[in-house]
Amino acid sequence: MRIPPFYRKPAFQRFFGGMAVGGAISWCIFLYIYGVWQERNTELLRKQQQDIVDLNNEKKIWQDEYKEMNKRNLEQLTVQKINIKIVNWEKYKLDSLSVLETEDSVRDDINMMLAKDLETVYKSKDLLKKIIENKPVKINEKRYKLKVKEMVIYTNLTMQLEIQFE
């Protein structure tokens, strides 16, 4: 079997030559387009990596600053409100108005602790107890004294008091 002699015909020679030149040109175009695409993607990746590094550094700065602000705020917490509650007033059959007035007078006595930082209030808790316990209270022509049952010191200073005959 023999290969036909197409190499002698100029039409086939132009066809095969065109295929070879077209293949070479298309390969060059492909390499150029692929190279440009790779360059763009590499540049985008570098930019994104730099952005990630910058954002991580910025996040670390924000977190450090946030922690420091939290520390400062915890150090500077102040007493915002004072709650006073007399717990055993039913035992002495006292009316609620007298109890309320007594609670208000005690609140007025320790009102100096409002807007003080928690550390100062904690250090002066014994003074607060003495202020409350050493002051006699007169209700319905009878004298009572107050005793601190429980004291919670935070942004709200909460005290539970017991009332006793003097």
Side-chain angles (χ1 to χ4, degrees):
M1 188 156 177
R2 234 176 84 188
I3 299 173
F6 290 129
Y7 61 89
R8 289 186 191 154
K9 294 186 178 178
F12 281 109
Q13 288 176 351
R14 275 188 297 230
F15 174 72
F16 288 123
M19 280 180 52
V21 170
I25 291 173
S26 66
W27 183 251
C28 290
I29 291 173
F30 169 75
L31 284 179
Y32 174 75
I33 291 174
Y34 183 75
V36 168
W37 180 76
Q38 277 300 101
E39 250 181 66
R40 284 183 189 161
N41 282 342
T42 305
E43 185 178 322
L44 179 66
L45 282 175
R46 267 195 221 117
K47 183 180 180 294
Q48 287 175 343
Q49 286 173 344
Q50 186 60 40
D51 288 346
I52 289 171
V53 168
D54 291 344
L55 289 174
N56 281 336
N57 290 337
E58 189 176 327
K59 183 180 88 171
K60 187 175 183 329
I61 291 170
W62 280 103
Q63 285 176 339
D64 292 343
E65 190 173 322
Y66 182 74
K67 286 177 186 175
E68 187 174 323
M69 281 178 44
N70 278 345
K71 276 186 190 175
R72 266 190 272 132
N73 286 341
L74 279 176
E75 290 172 359
Q76 295 178 353
L77 281 178
T78 59
V79 174
Q80 304 292 322
K81 189 176 178 185
I82 298 175
N83 296 326
I84 306 291
K85 178 87 172 133
I86 297 177
V87 290
N88 65 338
W89 59 274
E90 298 95 359
K91 177 180 175 183
Y92 297 100
K93 297 181 177 131
L94 299 174
D95 58 306
S96 59
L97 178 63
S98 300
V99 171
L100 184 64
E101 287 175 351
T102 306
E103 289 174 354
D104 286 342
S105 71
V106 169
R107 189 175 297 112
D108 289 341
D109 289 341
I110 63 172
N111 209 17
M112 65 206 156
M113 291 299 161
L114 270 177
K116 299 278 188 199
D117 63 302
L118 294 181
E119 185 177 350
T120 305
V121 175
Y122 180 76
K123 286 180 180 176
S124 61
K125 67 180 178 179
D126 293 329
L127 178 65
L128 286 174
K129 282 184 181 180
K130 288 181 182 179
I131 288 173
I132 293 170
E133 291 177 355
N134 289 339
K135 182 181 177 190
V137 178
K138 192 171 184 181
I139 302 173
N140 299 334
E141 304 300 321
K142 295 180 186 173
R143 293 173 60 94
Y144 297 95
K145 68 178 183 176
L146 298 170
K147 184 179 179 195
V148 177
K149 183 178 177 184
E150 183 180 333
M151 183 185 313
V152 177
I153 301 172
Y154 200 60
T155 55
N156 288 344
L157 174 61
T158 305
M159 299 179 100
Q160 287 188 355
L161 306 175
E162 286 184 344
I163 196 165
Q164 302 170 344
F165 283 117
E166 190 172 44

